[in-house]
Amino acid sequence: MEKVGIVGVGQTKYERKKEDTFAELVFEATTAALADAGAEIGDIDNVVTVSNDFWDGRTISSMAVQDAAGSYNKDVSCVEGDGVFGAMYGMMRALSGSFDTTLVVAHVKGSEGNMNLITNAMFDPIYQRQIGIDATSSAALQARRYMEKTGATEEDFARVSVKNHSNGVNNPLAQIRKKITIDDVMKSRKISEPLKLFDCSPITDGAAAIVISNAKGVKRFKKDPIWILGASHLSDSYTLGYRDLAYPRALEAASKKAYAMAGITDPLKQLDVAELADAYSYMELLWYEGLGLSPKGKGAELIRSGATGMDGELPVNPSGGLLSAHPVLVAGLARIIEVTLQLRGEAGDRQIKGASKALAHGINGPCGQAHGVFVLGS
């Protein structure tokens, strides 16, 4: 396919921002991405915003931020879902030939909503919402199923939390910057069996933006592009009972497509760094398997080996991941930004030396129903 790259990135600090409006968050991320690209809004041909009416507490939520995203007199579209799917749509627009350059911006204020009520609404309205199921209780069902099928333990989940919280200490944008131990995780209060407080990501506010350009448009910008080598997204069944929650087949299929585009045959050896959507600690182990980083049922063995630590064969979530800051909707876009910074050598204290090929991943829906995968290279 035609070459498409990322030429600008911008993020707010991820925290609870009670004083900031949606528009202020979007404006901060947008101007940061433009400045990073050495560009002005006139260099952007179209805008894609990422938002959700439930999280924003209003209908047509994208309209509240379109002016802050610089979309005046431009073609603008909205994606309802995780930022990784907004980036996918932005990439498609750059590939279409209709636009050379695209700004993608995502925002959320989790602190202004009720996560349990909001995520309860993603389930079937007739049979499932009535029992009160939400993102966390459904994740607990998935975690238990995974434990029973593979033999993974709560201590294995805790290893993910310890690793990612330790990494988050080096990320100045992270909401939680705190080193913890396996014992700290195991003793933290139960949220939904078997998940404990430190197995769950925090409620976070923030925004992020990227500038995407095709080969024709990159001359408008000062930054050398980080090229998108492969990308794919797939969704599994909406109903939890129609899936094997212990294995992410949609992620496996999506990653295989992205790897084929990028020429990746052994991701554990050929990738230098990865940022995965670890909304709950056990998810990272599941995603290892779906991404082909470990054999099926062996994700726990990979975390035990230390291969995904900062000094391991493939560092995963050097930013601290979602366990250190989870701005819903923004999360996948932030993963793309983090690996872009890694490939530029601009990740500061969380930098992986010599990174030249990376993976970014985002999810949508209960228990990782839909997955988006990007492989990027410098």
Side-chain angles (χ1 to χ4, degrees), residues 15-298:
E15 56 191 352
R16 296 198 178 193
K17 297 176 176 289
K18 292 184 178 179
E19 304 303 319
D20 292 342
T21 66
F22 303 135
E24 287 170 330
L25 293 175
V26 166
F27 183 77
E28 181 182 344
T30 297
T31 53
L34 291 172
D36 181 61
E40 298 180 354
I41 195 62
D43 296 312
I44 304 300
D45 295 337
N46 80 113
V47 175
V48 174
T49 64
V50 178
S51 63
N52 178 284
D53 292 0
F54 283 84
W55 283 103
D56 276 16
R58 57 164 290 160
T59 57
I60 320 178
S61 53
S62 61
M63 292 183 66
V65 300
Q66 286 178 2
D67 53 348
S71 61
Y72 176 75
N73 209 29
K74 299 182 189 299
D75 188 285
V76 62
S77 188
C78 179
V79 169
E80 186 285 314
D82 181 72
V84 74
F85 300 99
M88 197 78 63
Y89 187 33
M91 177 193 72
M92 292 173 185
R93 288 191 143 207
L95 287 169
S96 72
S98 299
F99 309 99
D100 293 328
T101 62
T102 304
L103 171 76
V104 182
V105 60
H107 74 276
V108 76
K109 289 200 72 177
S111 64
E112 292 189 358
N114 183 313
M115 188 276 288
N116 305 93
L117 288 176
I118 291 169
T119 60
N120 171 255
M122 67 183 170
F123 291 93
D124 172 78
I126 305 300
Y127 300 104
Q128 295 179 327
R129 288 185 200 173
Q130 311 305 319
I131 62 175
I133 192 169
D134 60 17
T136 299
S137 56
S138 62
L141 290 174
Q142 186 175 41
R144 179 58 65 188
R145 167 67 178 149
Y146 181 69
M147 292 171 70
E148 291 178 352
K149 186 172 181 180
T150 67
T153 66
E154 293 182 44
E155 287 80 5
D156 292 322
F157 303 161
R159 288 182 176 91
V160 174
S161 186
V162 169
K163 172 180 72 71
N164 292 351
H165 279 96
S166 178
N167 293 349
V169 171
N170 295 320
N171 184 356
L173 300 181
Q175 179 179 0
I176 298 175
R177 303 178 69 189
K178 177 181 181 179
K179 287 193 174 184
I180 58 174
T181 65
I182 291 178
D183 193 50
D184 290 331
V185 180
M186 297 300 293
K187 288 182 177 178
S188 62
R189 65 183 174 89
K190 288 287 177 69
I191 302 298
S192 185
E193 179 72 35
L195 302 178
K196 296 164 286 297
L197 180 64
F198 286 139
D199 288 310
C200 303
S201 54
I203 293 172
T204 311
D205 303 339
I210 63 173
V211 178
I212 297 175
S213 176
N214 61 23
K216 179 181 175 183
V218 294
K219 61 181 179 291
R220 303 180 193 178
F221 307 103
K222 294 181 180 178
K223 281 284 175 72
D224 291 333
I226 296 299
W227 298 108
I228 298 171
L229 306 179
S232 181
H233 67 100
L234 284 169
S235 180
D236 207 330
S237 172
Y238 167 65
T239 303
L240 296 183
Y242 294 169
R243 294 189 251 153
D244 179 359
L245 295 181
Y247 190 73
R249 60 181 181 175
L251 176 57
E252 179 184 49
S255 63
K256 284 182 177 178
K257 288 187 176 184
Y259 292 156
M261 293 179 194
I264 299 288
T265 55
D266 188 342
L268 188 63
K269 289 186 171 18
Q270 291 174 272
L271 295 170
D272 299 310
V273 61
E275 285 278 340
L276 310 185
D278 57 325
Y280 301 91
S281 58
Y282 77 90
M283 284 185 168
E284 188 169 307
L285 307 184
L286 260 176
W287 308 157
Y288 290 165
E289 298 176 23
L291 289 164
L293 305 180
S294 75
K296 289 183 181 180
K298 303 296 184 181

Side-chain angles (χ1 to χ4, degrees), residues 49 86 183 203 327 338 342 344 352:
T49 64
D183 193 50
I203 293 172
E338 284 295 328
Q342 290 284 350
R344 289 179 179 176
I352 304 303

